[in-house]
Amino acid sequence: MWKDYSIGFIKKNRASSVSVLTSAFISALFLSLLCGLFYNFWNYEIESVVLEEGNWQGRISGAFEEDEVSEIENFANVKTAVINEDLSDGQTLIVDICFDDMRAVYQDMPLIARQLGVPESSVSYHETLLSSYFINDPQDSHPPLLMAFYLFVLLLVSVSLILIIHNSFSVSMNARVHQFGIFSSIGATPGQIRTCLLQEAAMLCVIPVLIGSFVGIALTFGAIQAVNILADGIIGRHEAAFAYHPLVFAVTILTSFLTVLISAWLPARKLSKMTPLEAIKNTGELQLKRRKKSRILAHLFGTEGELAGNALKAQRKSLRTATLSLTLSFLGFALMLSFFTLSGISTNHTYFERYQDAWDVMATLKDTEIGDFSHTDEIHALADTDSVIYQKANAVCSIGADALSEEVKSLGGLDGIAGSEVSMADGIYAIQAPIVIMDDSSFAAYCEQIGVSSPENGSVALNRIWDNRNSNFRYKEYVPFLSGNQDAVTLRNLEDAAAAVAIPVLSLTQEPPVLREEYDNYALVQFVSLSTWKQIQGTIGNAQPDTYIRILSEKDRTLTELSAIENELTNVLGHDISFEVENRIQEKIDNNAMLNGYKLIIGALCVLLALIGIANVFSNTLGFVRQRKREFARYMSIGMTPEGMRKMFCVEALVIAGRPVLITLPVTAVFVWLMIRASYLNPMEFWSAAPIVPVALFIAVLFGFVGLAYYLGGRQILKCDLVEVLQSDYM
């Protein structure tokens, strides 16, 4: 009997049945897609860490014999113990260890160190890899929480998806309280009613949930392939391989079916607490516990506006997911576009536009002293290029207070400008003095450029300091650091203040050589030739380990031309030096591709949230025919026309779609204003690049889909015989 009733109800209430079917399909699809994407993202992050840093969980170093490695493998829970040949040397062995249960790594590694007789300081952990598995050092008060944050976002969105199914069932089944009250009055037990509701849920949701889950898997595969295509060509990125674990599928299916069961169980539980008379009195209509006047809607749209306001208040609980999802999606979309726009403007200011004429190809020679580099002549001989080979070192410069320029003194002295960046003792300032060591021919060309006739045995000082009183970091203005009569500077060793050397100042200049370098705001930078450096190297020391080659093209600065220069440079350097080469145009292409990838991921999340909200609106509007037809029948009985009903639907759709916009636009405006102020950008720069068109399109799509949902629901209402509704109710 109950089976026949369920089948009959489903056939004769196609609108509410389609609403439940659609909700179950959409929720299962997006839940499967979201879980699949998260699993693939997590798997890709682990693959990246393993490729870049190696597949080890704990590492131990010490002066022990190779046969002791077998002792490590005999420890309980140790899976593998392998000597790291690249890091080990003749005196120290470094062993990479993997565990069967990696969650015990922070407990087992100290025990292994103690057994081998080495201090715990010889133990290190692969924290990046371990944190990807949500394993953190119990002693770390600030563990990395990025993956935990992603998991939280996944759970948050999953809850929203689950609520779609629940709300759809609530709209459909709560409208039937009146019917089941009649059944209860003639002897139906709560158990029978629960059985009826659960079998209806099974009939409606089994197939949509399964199909939605499989479609979600297919879309996950498509998304991974799309990401690979969009990110093709990015240097250093490995291709993502689609992966799907059976546990992910099991979680998706189990979550969907549990949601269906709980959503079907709740109305039955509600019925079991009601007396048959209370249930019969329930007509399934939207009820407003306390009426409030919607003054704004009444003023703008008249009586229909006030009725729409009351209807929305009555639906507040069922529309909560839609409102939250639409608001979060639009807010996230607008903030994302604004942030990336501001970030792009800032990056162009500080990097691409700033250095576009400073370098085209850069090579970093790892652990190579400039004095040991033997290919200087070959680098300078590269056709149609201008090149500089340089290394950096650190020192401290001693400057008397009377050597400061008048401009610095007028700004309150060095203490007033640099603050704690400088120190003073006995009238002598100790100032950071970074040293840029250039090959002899490049230094001679630089000296010729600034008008120095004798480039031998001396330094060129970058005679400028940031005037932070009258300019900000975005648009810096400089004043002379020292007075113009400085003949020599005293450079001191950072670690040994007694180790000092005085070198002649060939020139004080505010024009640095054309290099891809950022100089400290309050330091007195020294440019010296390699020959000069060899004379002071023993005293100053503190040279950084790498040497740099800056190349500018003197021909077309296209990707093809720069790639050709990059290939020539690589051929010159050969295989006897460890180096990295960067191409400016390729760097910009990669940067844009990376930003587009971030936009795609975050944008997809925003679209997903929007679809959740829109699906919830469709779920409510397609399922509210039975809830609201008595409401509109009464309105018609007192003279409301179909045009008035349409107007009421339009007002409701306008409020549902407009509320996220009204919340988001002011919040976004405040965010942009604060970011512009914090970054000292010109507001007109942002306005000229503001993402107005994408935001407007998002708003239009939002209004379009919500309007479509209300159009379909309203059309079903208007097709009903609303006069007959007041006389009877279908069983």
Side-chain angles (χ1 to χ4, degrees), residues 324-334 605-611 660 664 698 702:
L324 181 62
S325 297
L326 293 176
T327 302
L328 288 177
S329 66
F330 186 45
L331 181 63
F333 187 76
L605 179 60
C606 294
V607 170
L608 177 61
L609 287 171
L611 288 174
T664 295
F698 197 95
L702 200 64

mmCIF file with all atom_site columns, all heavy atoms in Angstrom, residues 324-334 605-611 660 664 698 702:
data_model
loop_
_atom_site.group_PDB
_atom_site.id
_atom_site.type_symbol
_atom_site.label_atom_id
_atom_site.label_alt_id
_atom_site.label_comp_id
_atom_site.label_asym_id
_atom_site.label_entity_id
_atom_site.label_seq_id
_atom_site.pdbx_PDB_ins_code
_atom_site.Cartn_x
_atom_site.Cartn_y
_atom_site.Cartn_z
_atom_site.occupancy
_atom_site.B_iso_or_equiv
_atom_site.pdbx_formal_charge
_atom_site.auth_seq_id
_atom_site.auth_comp_id
_atom_site.auth_asym_id
_atom_site.auth_atom_id
_atom_site.pdbx_PDB_model_num
ATOM 1   N N   . LEU A 1 324 ? 23.936 32.611 1.716   1.00 0.00 ? 324 LEU A N   1
ATOM 2   C CA  . LEU A 1 324 ? 25.336 32.527 2.132   1.00 0.00 ? 324 LEU A CA  1
ATOM 3   C C   . LEU A 1 324 ? 26.242 32.168 0.952   1.00 0.00 ? 324 LEU A C   1
ATOM 4   O O   . LEU A 1 324 ? 27.297 32.781 0.752   1.00 0.00 ? 324 LEU A O   1
ATOM 5   C CB  . LEU A 1 324 ? 25.477 31.479 3.238   1.00 0.00 ? 324 LEU A CB  1
ATOM 6   C CG  . LEU A 1 324 ? 26.885 31.280 3.809   1.00 0.00 ? 324 LEU A CG  1
ATOM 7   C CD1 . LEU A 1 324 ? 27.392 32.560 4.452   1.00 0.00 ? 324 LEU A CD1 1
ATOM 8   C CD2 . LEU A 1 324 ? 26.911 30.135 4.815   1.00 0.00 ? 324 LEU A CD2 1
ATOM 9   N N   . SER A 1 325 ? 25.833 31.192 0.141   1.00 0.00 ? 325 SER A N   1
ATOM 10  C CA  . SER A 1 325 ? 26.663 30.754 -0.982  1.00 0.00 ? 325 SER A CA  1
ATOM 11  C C   . SER A 1 325 ? 26.822 31.853 -2.021  1.00 0.00 ? 325 SER A C   1
ATOM 12  O O   . SER A 1 325 ? 27.921 32.105 -2.513  1.00 0.00 ? 325 SER A O   1
ATOM 13  C CB  . SER A 1 325 ? 26.053 29.507 -1.631  1.00 0.00 ? 325 SER A CB  1
ATOM 14  O OG  . SER A 1 325 ? 26.020 28.440 -0.723  1.00 0.00 ? 325 SER A OG  1
ATOM 15  N N   . LEU A 1 326 ? 25.716 32.522 -2.363  1.00 0.00 ? 326 LEU A N   1
ATOM 16  C CA  . LEU A 1 326 ? 25.790 33.586 -3.364  1.00 0.00 ? 326 LEU A CA  1
ATOM 17  C C   . LEU A 1 326 ? 26.633 34.749 -2.863  1.00 0.00 ? 326 LEU A C   1
ATOM 18  O O   . LEU A 1 326 ? 27.422 35.335 -3.618  1.00 0.00 ? 326 LEU A O   1
ATOM 19  C CB  . LEU A 1 326 ? 24.383 34.069 -3.725  1.00 0.00 ? 326 LEU A CB  1
ATOM 20  C CG  . LEU A 1 326 ? 23.497 33.065 -4.472  1.00 0.00 ? 326 LEU A CG  1
ATOM 21  C CD1 . LEU A 1 326 ? 22.107 33.633 -4.683  1.00 0.00 ? 326 LEU A CD1 1
ATOM 22  C CD2 . LEU A 1 326 ? 24.118 32.691 -5.806  1.00 0.00 ? 326 LEU A CD2 1
ATOM 23  N N   . THR A 1 327 ? 26.488 35.080 -1.575  1.00 0.00 ? 327 THR A N   1
ATOM 24  C CA  . THR A 1 327 ? 27.276 36.191 -1.021  1.00 0.00 ? 327 THR A CA  1
ATOM 25  C C   . THR A 1 327 ? 28.757 35.848 -0.996  1.00 0.00 ? 327 THR A C   1
ATOM 26  O O   . THR A 1 327 ? 29.601 36.650 -1.414  1.00 0.00 ? 327 THR A O   1
ATOM 27  C CB  . THR A 1 327 ? 26.790 36.525 0.400   1.00 0.00 ? 327 THR A CB  1
ATOM 28  O OG1 . THR A 1 327 ? 25.402 36.867 0.367   1.00 0.00 ? 327 THR A OG1 1
ATOM 29  C CG2 . THR A 1 327 ? 27.567 37.708 0.969   1.00 0.00 ? 327 THR A CG2 1
ATOM 30  N N   . LEU A 1 328 ? 29.084 34.643 -0.508  1.00 0.00 ? 328 LEU A N   1
ATOM 31  C CA  . LEU A 1 328 ? 30.490 34.247 -0.448  1.00 0.00 ? 328 LEU A CA  1
ATOM 32  C C   . LEU A 1 328 ? 31.106 34.138 -1.841  1.00 0.00 ? 328 LEU A C   1
ATOM 33  O O   . LEU A 1 328 ? 32.263 34.513 -2.049  1.00 0.00 ? 328 LEU A O   1
ATOM 34  C CB  . LEU A 1 328 ? 30.627 32.918 0.290   1.00 0.00 ? 328 LEU A CB  1
ATOM 35  C CG  . LEU A 1 328 ? 30.393 32.940 1.805   1.00 0.00 ? 328 LEU A CG  1
ATOM 36  C CD1 . LEU A 1 328 ? 30.486 31.542 2.379   1.00 0.00 ? 328 LEU A CD1 1
ATOM 37  C CD2 . LEU A 1 328 ? 31.381 33.864 2.499   1.00 0.00 ? 328 LEU A CD2 1
ATOM 38  N N   . SER A 1 329 ? 30.336 33.619 -2.797  1.00 0.00 ? 329 SER A N   1
ATOM 39  C CA  . SER A 1 329 ? 30.873 33.462 -4.151  1.00 0.00 ? 329 SER A CA  1
ATOM 40  C C   . SER A 1 329 ? 31.163 34.809 -4.781  1.00 0.00 ? 329 SER A C   1
ATOM 41  O O   . SER A 1 329 ? 32.244 35.028 -5.355  1.00 0.00 ? 329 SER A O   1
ATOM 42  C CB  . SER A 1 329 ? 29.898 32.669 -5.022  1.00 0.00 ? 329 SER A CB  1
ATOM 43  O OG  . SER A 1 329 ? 28.700 33.394 -5.238  1.00 0.00 ? 329 SER A OG  1
ATOM 44  N N   . PHE A 1 330 ? 30.218 35.740 -4.677  1.00 0.00 ? 330 PHE A N   1
ATOM 45  C CA  . PHE A 1 330 ? 30.431 37.044 -5.296  1.00 0.00 ? 330 PHE A CA  1
ATOM 46  C C   . PHE A 1 330 ? 31.505 37.835 -4.553  1.00 0.00 ? 330 PHE A C   1
ATOM 47  O O   . PHE A 1 330 ? 32.350 38.507 -5.171  1.00 0.00 ? 330 PHE A O   1
ATOM 48  C CB  . PHE A 1 330 ? 29.112 37.824 -5.327  1.00 0.00 ? 330 PHE A CB  1
ATOM 49  C CG  . PHE A 1 330 ? 29.196 39.126 -6.077  1.00 0.00 ? 330 PHE A CG  1
ATOM 50  C CD1 . PHE A 1 330 ? 29.837 39.198 -7.302  1.00 0.00 ? 330 PHE A CD1 1
ATOM 51  C CD2 . PHE A 1 330 ? 28.649 40.284 -5.557  1.00 0.00 ? 330 PHE A CD2 1
ATOM 52  C CE1 . PHE A 1 330 ? 29.929 40.391 -8.000  1.00 0.00 ? 330 PHE A CE1 1
ATOM 53  C CE2 . PHE A 1 330 ? 28.733 41.483 -6.243  1.00 0.00 ? 330 PHE A CE2 1
ATOM 54  C CZ  . PHE A 1 330 ? 29.373 41.530 -7.467  1.00 0.00 ? 330 PHE A CZ  1
ATOM 55  N N   . LEU A 1 331 ? 31.496 37.723 -3.221  1.00 0.00 ? 331 LEU A N   1
ATOM 56  C CA  . LEU A 1 331 ? 32.518 38.417 -2.440  1.00 0.00 ? 331 LEU A CA  1
ATOM 57  C C   . LEU A 1 331 ? 33.903 37.862 -2.776  1.00 0.00 ? 331 LEU A C   1
ATOM 58  O O   . LEU A 1 331 ? 34.854 38.628 -2.998  1.00 0.00 ? 331 LEU A O   1
ATOM 59  C CB  . LEU A 1 331 ? 32.226 38.252 -0.941  1.00 0.00 ? 331 LEU A CB  1
ATOM 60  C CG  . LEU A 1 331 ? 33.196 38.940 0.020   1.00 0.00 ? 331 LEU A CG  1
ATOM 61  C CD1 . LEU A 1 331 ? 33.168 40.448 -0.175  1.00 0.00 ? 331 LEU A CD1 1
ATOM 62  C CD2 . LEU A 1 331 ? 32.845 38.590 1.469   1.00 0.00 ? 331 LEU A CD2 1
ATOM 63  N N   . GLY A 1 332 ? 34.022 36.534 -2.814  1.00 0.00 ? 332 GLY A N   1
ATOM 64  C CA  . GLY A 1 332 ? 35.307 35.933 -3.158  1.00 0.00 ? 332 GLY A CA  1
ATOM 65  C C   . GLY A 1 332 ? 35.752 36.294 -4.561  1.00 0.00 ? 332 GLY A C   1
ATOM 66  O O   . GLY A 1 332 ? 36.928 36.584 -4.799  1.00 0.00 ? 332 GLY A O   1
ATOM 67  N N   . PHE A 1 333 ? 34.817 36.309 -5.504  1.00 0.00 ? 333 PHE A N   1
ATOM 68  C CA  . PHE A 1 333 ? 35.147 36.643 -6.889  1.00 0.00 ? 333 PHE A CA  1
ATOM 69  C C   . PHE A 1 333 ? 35.627 38.086 -7.002  1.00 0.00 ? 333 PHE A C   1
ATOM 70  O O   . PHE A 1 333 ? 36.658 38.368 -7.631  1.00 0.00 ? 333 PHE A O   1
ATOM 71  C CB  . PHE A 1 333 ? 33.911 36.416 -7.762  1.00 0.00 ? 333 PHE A CB  1
ATOM 72  C CG  . PHE A 1 333 ? 34.156 36.569 -9.234  1.00 0.00 ? 333 PHE A CG  1
ATOM 73  C CD1 . PHE A 1 333 ? 34.805 35.579 -9.949  1.00 0.00 ? 333 PHE A CD1 1
ATOM 74  C CD2 . PHE A 1 333 ? 33.729 37.697 -9.906  1.00 0.00 ? 333 PHE A CD2 1
ATOM 75  C CE1 . PHE A 1 333 ? 35.028 35.713 -11.312 1.00 0.00 ? 333 PHE A CE1 1
ATOM 76  C CE2 . PHE A 1 333 ? 33.953 37.851 -11.266 1.00 0.00 ? 333 PHE A CE2 1
ATOM 77  C CZ  . PHE A 1 333 ? 34.601 36.846 -11.969 1.00 0.00 ? 333 PHE A CZ  1
ATOM 78  N N   . ALA A 1 334 ? 34.889 39.012 -6.382  1.00 0.00 ? 334 ALA A N   1
ATOM 79  C CA  . ALA A 1 334 ? 35.255 40.427 -6.465  1.00 0.00 ? 334 ALA A CA  1
ATOM 80  C C   . ALA A 1 334 ? 36.576 40.704 -5.756  1.00 0.00 ? 334 ALA A C   1
ATOM 81  O O   . ALA A 1 334 ? 37.441 41.430 -6.268  1.00 0.00 ? 334 ALA A O   1
ATOM 82  C CB  . ALA A 1 334 ? 34.142 41.282 -5.866  1.00 0.00 ? 334 ALA A CB  1
ATOM 83  N N   . LEU A 1 605 ? 36.389 27.921 -7.569  1.00 0.00 ? 605 LEU A N   1
ATOM 84  C CA  . LEU A 1 605 ? 35.771 27.787 -6.253  1.00 0.00 ? 605 LEU A CA  1
ATOM 85  C C   . LEU A 1 605 ? 34.617 28.773 -6.099  1.00 0.00 ? 605 LEU A C   1
ATOM 86  O O   . LEU A 1 605 ? 33.551 28.421 -5.572  1.00 0.00 ? 605 LEU A O   1
ATOM 87  C CB  . LEU A 1 605 ? 36.820 28.022 -5.161  1.00 0.00 ? 605 LEU A CB  1
ATOM 88  C CG  . LEU A 1 605 ? 36.336 27.935 -3.712  1.00 0.00 ? 605 LEU A CG  1
ATOM 89  C CD1 . LEU A 1 605 ? 35.762 26.561 -3.417  1.00 0.00 ? 605 LEU A CD1 1
ATOM 90  C CD2 . LEU A 1 605 ? 37.458 28.270 -2.739  1.00 0.00 ? 605 LEU A CD2 1
ATOM 91  N N   . CYS A 1 606 ? 34.815 30.010 -6.572  1.00 0.00 ? 606 CYS A N   1
ATOM 92  C CA  . CYS A 1 606 ? 33.745 31.017 -6.500  1.00 0.00 ? 606 CYS A CA  1
ATOM 93  C C   . CYS A 1 606 ? 32.549 30.599 -7.344  1.00 0.00 ? 606 CYS A C   1
ATOM 94  O O   . CYS A 1 606 ? 31.390 30.750 -6.928  1.00 0.00 ? 606 CYS A O   1
ATOM 95  C CB  . CYS A 1 606 ? 34.268 32.374 -6.960  1.00 0.00 ? 606 CYS A CB  1
ATOM 96  S SG  . CYS A 1 606 ? 35.535 33.089 -5.895  1.00 0.00 ? 606 CYS A SG  1
ATOM 97  N N   . VAL A 1 607 ? 32.825 30.088 -8.555  1.00 0.00 ? 607 VAL A N   1
ATOM 98  C CA  . VAL A 1 607 ? 31.736 29.624 -9.416  1.00 0.00 ? 607 VAL A CA  1
ATOM 99  C C   . VAL A 1 607 ? 31.016 28.454 -8.764  1.00 0.00 ? 607 VAL A C   1
ATOM 100 O O   . VAL A 1 607 ? 29.780 28.349 -8.827  1.00 0.00 ? 607 VAL A O   1
ATOM 101 C CB  . VAL A 1 607 ? 32.288 29.230 -10.800 1.00 0.00 ? 607 VAL A CB  1
ATOM 102 C CG1 . VAL A 1 607 ? 31.230 28.514 -11.631 1.00 0.00 ? 607 VAL A CG1 1
ATOM 103 C CG2 . VAL A 1 607 ? 32.776 30.467 -11.546 1.00 0.00 ? 607 VAL A CG2 1
ATOM 104 N N   . LEU A 1 608 ? 31.781 27.565 -8.115  1.00 0.00 ? 608 LEU A N   1
ATOM 105 C CA  . LEU A 1 608 ? 31.176 26.430 -7.429  1.00 0.00 ? 608 LEU A CA  1
ATOM 106 C C   . LEU A 1 608 ? 30.235 26.907 -6.327  1.00 0.00 ? 608 LEU A C   1
ATOM 107 O O   . LEU A 1 608 ? 29.104 26.422 -6.201  1.00 0.00 ? 608 LEU A O   1
ATOM 108 C CB  . LEU A 1 608 ? 32.271 25.535 -6.845  1.00 0.00 ? 608 LEU A CB  1
ATOM 109 C CG  . LEU A 1 608 ? 31.804 24.318 -6.033  1.00 0.00 ? 608 LEU A CG  1
ATOM 110 C CD1 . LEU A 1 608 ? 30.971 23.394 -6.889  1.00 0.00 ? 608 LEU A CD1 1
ATOM 111 C CD2 . LEU A 1 608 ? 32.997 23.573 -5.465  1.00 0.00 ? 608 LEU A CD2 1
ATOM 112 N N   . LEU A 1 609 ? 30.689 27.898 -5.541  1.00 0.00 ? 609 LEU A N   1
ATOM 113 C CA  . LEU A 1 609 ? 29.825 28.441 -4.499  1.00 0.00 ? 609 LEU A CA  1
ATOM 114 C C   . LEU A 1 609 ? 28.581 29.089 -5.096  1.00 0.00 ? 609 LEU A C   1
ATOM 115 O O   . LEU A 1 609 ? 27.474 28.968 -4.554  1.00 0.00 ? 609 LEU A O   1
ATOM 116 C CB  . LEU A 1 609 ? 30.606 29.458 -3.664  1.00 0.00 ? 609 LEU A CB  1
ATOM 117 C CG  . LEU A 1 609 ? 31.653 28.894 -2.706  1.00 0.00 ? 609 LEU A CG  1
ATOM 118 C CD1 . LEU A 1 609 ? 32.495 30.011 -2.124  1.00 0.00 ? 609 LEU A CD1 1
ATOM 119 C CD2 . LEU A 1 609 ? 30.984 28.106 -1.583  1.00 0.00 ? 609 LEU A CD2 1
ATOM 120 N N   . ALA A 1 610 ? 28.758 29.800 -6.220  1.00 0.00 ? 610 ALA A N   1
ATOM 121 C CA  . ALA A 1 610 ? 27.609 30.424 -6.880  1.00 0.00 ? 610 ALA A CA  1
ATOM 122 C C   . ALA A 1 610 ? 26.621 29.366 -7.357  1.00 0.00 ? 610 ALA A C   1
ATOM 123 O O   . ALA A 1 610 ? 25.404 29.519 -7.215  1.00 0.00 ? 610 ALA A O   1
ATOM 124 C CB  . ALA A 1 610 ? 28.078 31.288 -8.043  1.00 0.00 ? 610 ALA A CB  1
ATOM 125 N N   . LEU A 1 611 ? 27.142 28.273 -7.923  1.00 0.00 ? 611 LEU A N   1
ATOM 126 C CA  . LEU A 1 611 ? 26.264 27.199 -8.390  1.00 0.00 ? 611 LEU A CA  1
ATOM 127 C C   . LEU A 1 611 ? 25.531 26.533 -7.233  1.00 0.00 ? 611 LEU A C   1
ATOM 128 O O   . LEU A 1 611 ? 24.371 26.128 -7.376  1.00 0.00 ? 611 LEU A O   1
ATOM 129 C CB  . LEU A 1 611 ? 27.093 26.163 -9.157  1.00 0.00 ? 611 LEU A CB  1
ATOM 130 C CG  . LEU A 1 611 ? 27.599 26.613 -10.534 1.00 0.00 ? 611 LEU A CG  1
ATOM 131 C CD1 . LEU A 1 611 ? 28.516 25.554 -11.128 1.00 0.00 ? 611 LEU A CD1 1
ATOM 132 C CD2 . LEU A 1 611 ? 26.441 26.885 -11.473 1.00 0.00 ? 611 LEU A CD2 1
ATOM 133 N N   . PRO A 1 660 ? 23.395 39.765 -2.149  1.00 0.00 ? 660 PRO A N   1
ATOM 134 C CA  . PRO A 1 660 ? 24.850 39.550 -2.205  1.00 0.00 ? 660 PRO A CA  1
ATOM 135 C C   . PRO A 1 660 ? 25.600 40.713 -2.850  1.00 0.00 ? 660 PRO A C   1
ATOM 136 O O   . PRO A 1 660 ? 26.722 41.034 -2.445  1.00 0.00 ? 660 PRO A O   1
ATOM 137 C CB  . PRO A 1 660 ? 24.982 38.277 -3.055  1.00 0.00 ? 660 PRO A CB  1
ATOM 138 C CG  . PRO A 1 660 ? 23.677 37.581 -2.911  1.00 0.00 ? 660 PRO A CG  1
ATOM 139 C CD  . PRO A 1 660 ? 22.653 38.659 -2.793  1.00 0.00 ? 660 PRO A CD  1
ATOM 140 N N   . THR A 1 664 ? 28.451 42.855 -1.045  1.00 0.00 ? 664 THR A N   1
ATOM 141 C CA  . THR A 1 664 ? 29.802 42.689 -1.571  1.00 0.00 ? 664 THR A CA  1
ATOM 142 C C   . THR A 1 664 ? 30.438 43.986 -2.039  1.00 0.00 ? 664 THR A C   1
ATOM 143 O O   . THR A 1 664 ? 31.616 44.252 -1.749  1.00 0.00 ? 664 THR A O   1
ATOM 144 C CB  . THR A 1 664 ? 29.782 41.672 -2.731  1.00 0.00 ? 664 THR A CB  1
ATOM 145 O OG1 . THR A 1 664 ? 29.421 40.394 -2.212  1.00 0.00 ? 664 THR A OG1 1
ATOM 146 C CG2 . THR A 1 664 ? 31.137 41.584 -3.408  1.00 0.00 ? 664 THR A CG2 1
ATOM 147 N N   . PHE A 1 698 ? 29.446 38.716 -13.807 1.00 0.00 ? 698 PHE A N   1
ATOM 148 C CA  . PHE A 1 698 ? 29.084 37.841 -12.685 1.00 0.00 ? 698 PHE A CA  1
ATOM 149 C C   . PHE A 1 698 ? 27.728 38.254 -12.116 1.00 0.00 ? 698 PHE A C   1
ATOM 150 O O   . PHE A 1 698 ? 26.871 37.408 -11.833 1.00 0.00 ? 698 PHE A O   1
ATOM 151 C CB  . PHE A 1 698 ? 30.165 37.916 -11.605 1.00 0.00 ? 698 PHE A CB  1
ATOM 152 C CG  . PHE A 1 698 ? 30.120 36.787 -10.618 1.00 0.00 ? 698 PHE A CG  1
ATOM 153 C CD1 . PHE A 1 698 ? 30.915 35.672 -10.784 1.00 0.00 ? 698 PHE A CD1 1
ATOM 154 C CD2 . PHE A 1 698 ? 29.280 36.840 -9.515  1.00 0.00 ? 698 PHE A CD2 1
ATOM 155 C CE1 . PHE A 1 698 ? 30.883 34.624 -9.873  1.00 0.00 ? 698 PHE A CE1 1
ATOM 156 C CE2 . PHE A 1 698 ? 29.242 35.806 -8.593  1.00 0.00 ? 698 PHE A CE2 1
ATOM 157 C CZ  . PHE A 1 698 ? 30.044 34.688 -8.774  1.00 0.00 ? 698 PHE A CZ  1
ATOM 158 N N   . LEU A 1 702 ? 24.290 36.094 -12.154 1.00 0.00 ? 702 LEU A N   1
ATOM 159 C CA  . LEU A 1 702 ? 23.613 35.864 -10.880 1.00 0.00 ? 702 LEU A CA  1
ATOM 160 C C   . LEU A 1 702 ? 22.132 36.220 -10.985 1.00 0.00 ? 702 LEU A C   1
ATOM 161 O O   . LEU A 1 702 ? 21.252 35.414 -10.648 1.00 0.00 ? 702 LEU A O   1
ATOM 162 C CB  . LEU A 1 702 ? 24.289 36.712 -9.802  1.00 0.00 ? 702 LEU A CB  1
ATOM 163 C CG  . LEU A 1 702 ? 24.087 36.316 -8.346  1.00 0.00 ? 702 LEU A CG  1
ATOM 164 C CD1 . LEU A 1 702 ? 24.681 34.962 -8.072  1.00 0.00 ? 702 LEU A CD1 1
ATOM 165 C CD2 . LEU A 1 702 ? 24.732 37.361 -7.439  1.00 0.00 ? 702 LEU A CD2 1
#
